[in-house]
Amino acid sequence: AAYSPAALSAALSASSNITGRTVYVGNLPATASVDELLNLVHFGPLESVRVLPEKSCVFLSFLDGATAAAFHADATIKKLSLHGQELRIGWGKPSPVPAQVALAISQSNASRNVYLGGLDESVTEEQLRDDLSRFGLIDQVKIVRDKNIGFVHFLSISIATKVVNTLPTEPNWANKRVNYGKDRCAYIPKSQQAAAQQAQAVAAQSLVSPQSAVAGFSPFSTYAPFGTDVLGGGAPGGVATMNRTVYLGNIHPETTTEDLCNSIRGGVLQSIRYMADKHIAFVTFVDPGAAFTFYNVASYQGLSLNNRRLKMGWGKNSGPLPPPLALAVHSGATRNVYIGNIEDFETFTEERLKRDFGEFGDIELVNFLKEKNCAFVNFTNISNAIKAIEGIKAKPEYANLRIAHGKDRCANPPRSGPQGGARRTASGNGPNSAEPISAIGEGEDGEMLGGEEVFINADGEVEEHHEGSAAKKEQEMVVDASEQTVVA
C-alpha cells in the first residue's frame, strides 16, 4: 500500500523524538506474549526488550536511532495490532548503547540470540528454557532437531553475553558449542524491505518539499532520530537537508563500476563516481530516502565485493538539482538508455554501441536482450544519458530504432543473503526495475560524513578517520537477476 506524505510525516514527526533508539509499544493485550510482538519487528537487531506487564507496554531498544525510526514509522502507518487490539507506538527516553554491550558487539558480533551446538537428541525446548532462564528473561527457544542445534533469544544482549561467557565453564556444557546467532528481528522480509524503502522515500520528499522551506522551519526539528550529522549536515540558515550521496571505501582493485552497480539496490541513481586508484566510490541517489535505506541495509547486513567488505559512509551533502534535470527525472529520465527494434545484432554490436554512445559520457554497462530485439546502455549519470538520447536520435543509422530511458536496475529493493560480488553472466546483468523518483540534487564528491570520515587532501590522497560501529552485521547483500525493462 502507498503511504501518503501526510501520514508518514505525522509518523516521523512524533513529539519528544530527539535522538532516541527506544520505541514504546503500548496497549498490549494481557494475553499477548513478547514472542508474538517481536514477530512483528523486522528492521534490525535489538539491544534490549523491557517488558512492563503492569502497564501493558514494552520498550524496544534498537542499536541506533535510525533503525528505531524506521520501525516507528512503519508500525505507526500499518497500525500494528495483536489479538485484534491496536497497539500504541511512541518513543522512549534517549540513551546510548551500554559500553560493555558495544564492546561485545564489536569484538564478538554479540546479539541477544545464543547459538547452541551439539545438543543431545533428547533435550527439549522446554528443558532449555528451564535451564537458561536462570540468566534472565527469554523471548524464544528453537531447536533444529535434524542438526541438534538450538537458538535461544534473550531479552537483551547483556544477558546473552553472560550466557555465552558462562556456559562453556559449566560441566554440563563442556562439550557443546556456544556462540552468538543472528537476531531474528534483523531478518527483513522482502515485503517489509519494499515498505521501508517506500516509507523513507515519501518521508524524504515531504521533508524537503517547498512547503518545508518556510522561514525559521527546520525539518529536523522533529526528525532528529536520524541525526542531522549522519544525514549530511545543515544548510545555510540552520535548515538541514537529507543527504543523497553514499560513500563506499575499501573497494577491491579488480572491482568495476558494473560490479558496484550490481550490488547497489534500493533506489534510482543520479550518478556513480568510482575512483579506482583510491579504492573509493561516491554513489548519489535521486532520492535521499533511498540513499538512507541503502546505507542502513548495507551497513547492517554487510556489503562485500570480490571477498572484501566495503566501508560505508556519507558523502558531502548534496545541493539542489538544476530545474531542467529535476523535471526530466520526474518525467522518467534515468541513467539507462533503451534501444529497441534492433533487427541486426551483427551491426549493432556491444563495441558499436560503446563507441557511438561513449561520445556522450562514461558507460557502466551495455546489455542485450536479443530475444526482445533490444539493448540497454547504462551511463554513470543521468545527465549523460539524456544527452545520449538526444544525440543518438540525430544519427541516421539509428533512425528506425526506438530510443528511450530504461529503468535503473539499482532501484530494485535490497535483499538479504550472501553476496559474493559475482560479475554478470552471458545472459545479461542484474535487474532494472522500480519507478524513478523525483530528484533533489547532485552529490559533491570528496568528503564523507557520519560513522567514518574521508577527506581528499591537496595531493589527491584519501585520509580516513574511523569511529567503531558496534551495530554492523556480517551478512551480505545478494544481487537480483530479473529482466531489464523500459520506461514508456
Side-chain angles (χ1 to χ4, degrees):
Y3 298 147
S4 69
L8 195 54
S9 294
L12 296 177
S13 299
S15 60
S16 302
N17 185 5
I18 304 174
T19 56
R21 59 187 180 88
T22 300
V23 177
Y24 162 87
V25 181
N27 197 35
L28 285 168
T31 55
S33 66
V34 175
D35 183 9
E36 290 176 307
L37 173 62
L38 295 185
N39 286 337
L40 305 176
V41 182
H42 297 290
F43 278 88
L46 291 168
E47 182 263 315
S48 67
V49 180
R50 185 185 177 197
V51 184
L52 299 177
E54 69 280 5
K55 295 185 177 181
S56 302
C57 70
V58 169
F59 290 91
L60 305 177
S61 293
F62 292 84
L63 290 174
D64 64 79
T67 306
F71 169 72
H72 182 282
D74 189 73
T76 302
I77 293 167
K78 288 183 176 179
K79 296 183 178 180
L80 293 187
S81 62
L82 273 178
H83 299 184
Q85 188 166 309
E86 185 176 332
L87 306 180
R88 292 179 56 194
I89 306 298
W91 288 100
K93 294 181 180 179
S95 64
V97 175
Q100 290 301 317
V101 172
L103 182 63
I105 294 173
S106 63
Q107 291 183 344
S108 307
N109 203 22
S111 75
R112 62 188 188 90
N113 181 20
V114 175
Y115 162 84
L116 303 171
L119 296 176
D120 296 334
E121 294 183 358
S122 60
V123 71
T124 65
E125 293 178 354
E126 290 75 14
Q127 289 173 331
L128 281 182
R129 184 182 289 272
D130 290 342
D131 182 15
L132 300 182
S133 60
R134 55 193 162 103
F135 291 97
L137 295 176
I138 293 174
D139 154 30
Q140 184 185 84
V141 178
K142 293 289 183 183
I143 291 179
V144 182
R145 185 59 62 190
D146 58 336
K147 295 184 179 180
N148 289 329
I149 62 175
F151 297 92
V152 181
H153 278 80
F154 290 87
L155 291 194
S156 72
I157 295 179
S158 61
I159 296 176
T161 301
K162 293 179 183 177
V163 175
V164 171
N165 291 337
T166 303
L167 286 188
T169 67
E170 299 183 356
N172 291 338
W173 291 90
N175 298 322
K176 308 293 192 299
R177 298 187 301 277
V178 182
N179 208 331
Y180 296 103
K182 182 172 182 178
D183 190 335
R184 64 192 182 100
C185 294
Y187 288 98
I188 308 176
K190 182 180 178 180
S191 59
Q192 289 204 12
Q193 287 177 351
Q197 176 187 340
Q198 184 181 17
Q200 306 290 350
V202 177
Q205 289 177 346
S206 66
L207 288 170
V208 300
S209 64
Q211 289 85 346
S212 298
V214 294
F217 176 79
S218 170
F220 279 101
S221 59
T222 54
Y223 196 63
F226 296 91
T228 57
D229 56 335
V230 173
L231 290 177
V239 179
T241 57
M242 293 183 71
N243 203 343
R244 300 180 299 108
T245 300
V246 177
Y247 159 89
L248 303 177
N250 194 39
I251 301 174
H252 192 282
E254 296 180 1
T255 300
T256 65
T257 306
E258 177 189 341
D259 294 332
L260 291 172
C261 291
N262 283 343
S263 64
I264 296 169
R265 292 295 178 265
V268 176
L269 299 188
Q270 182 194 334
S271 66
I272 177 169
R273 184 183 179 191
Y274 178 27
M275 304 166 70
D277 58 329
K278 302 185 185 302
H279 312 295
I280 64 174
F282 293 92
V283 182
T284 301
F285 287 80
V286 159
D287 187 89
F292 175 79
T293 300
F294 170 72
Y295 173 85
N296 278 282
V297 172
S299 294
Y300 282 121
Q301 296 183 347
L303 178 59
S304 297
L305 285 172
N306 293 316
N307 297 318
R308 180 179 291 186
R309 177 160 175 155
L310 306 189
K311 298 176 182 176
M312 304 295 301
W314 288 102
K316 188 175 180 180
N317 201 356
S318 309
L321 270 180
L325 185 55
L327 181 61
V329 171
H330 182 71
S331 300
T334 71
R335 63 187 184 87
N336 183 21
V337 177
Y338 164 87
I339 306 102
N341 300 332
I342 300 177
E343 299 293 340
D344 185 1
F345 284 98
E346 292 184 0
T347 298
F348 294 100
T349 63
E350 181 173 350
E351 292 71 22
R352 170 72 180 273
L353 293 181
K354 283 185 176 179
R355 182 177 69 251
D356 291 349
F357 282 81
E359 300 175 11
F360 304 97
D362 293 335
I363 293 173
E364 173 247 317
L365 170 68
V366 174
N367 185 44
F368 290 89
L369 290 177
K370 294 184 178 181
E371 67 277 11
K372 294 195 175 183
N373 300 103
C374 67
F376 296 87
V377 177
N378 291 268
F379 286 87
T380 57
N381 67 63
I382 295 176
S383 297
N384 290 344
I386 295 173
K387 294 176 184 177
I389 290 178
E390 295 173 352
I392 287 294
K393 287 182 177 180
K395 294 180 179 287
E397 56 269 38
Y398 287 87
N400 295 324
L401 302 184
R402 183 186 175 194
I403 311 295
H405 285 286
K407 291 188 177 182
D408 190 343
R409 71 187 189 279
C410 294
N412 270 21
R415 292 184 178 182
S416 60
Q419 193 279 98
R423 301 181 187 277
R424 65 187 173 115
T425 64
S427 61
N429 70 312
N432 262 2
S433 65
E435 293 295 335
I437 309 170
S438 57
I440 308 298
E442 171 79 17
E444 182 176 343
D445 299 338
E447 182 178 328
M448 182 189 75
L449 305 174
E452 304 176 40
E453 293 180 333
V454 171
F455 302 94
I456 299 179
N457 60 29
D459 297 324
E461 298 174 342
V462 177
E463 302 175 353
E464 299 187 5
H465 306 275
H466 306 284
E467 294 179 12
S469 176
K472 294 187 177 179
K473 307 294 289 180
E474 294 297 330
Q475 184 178 351
E476 302 168 352
M477 295 171 65
V478 69
V479 176
D480 199 351
S482 62
E483 179 183 306
Q484 301 203 54
T485 52
V486 62
V487 177

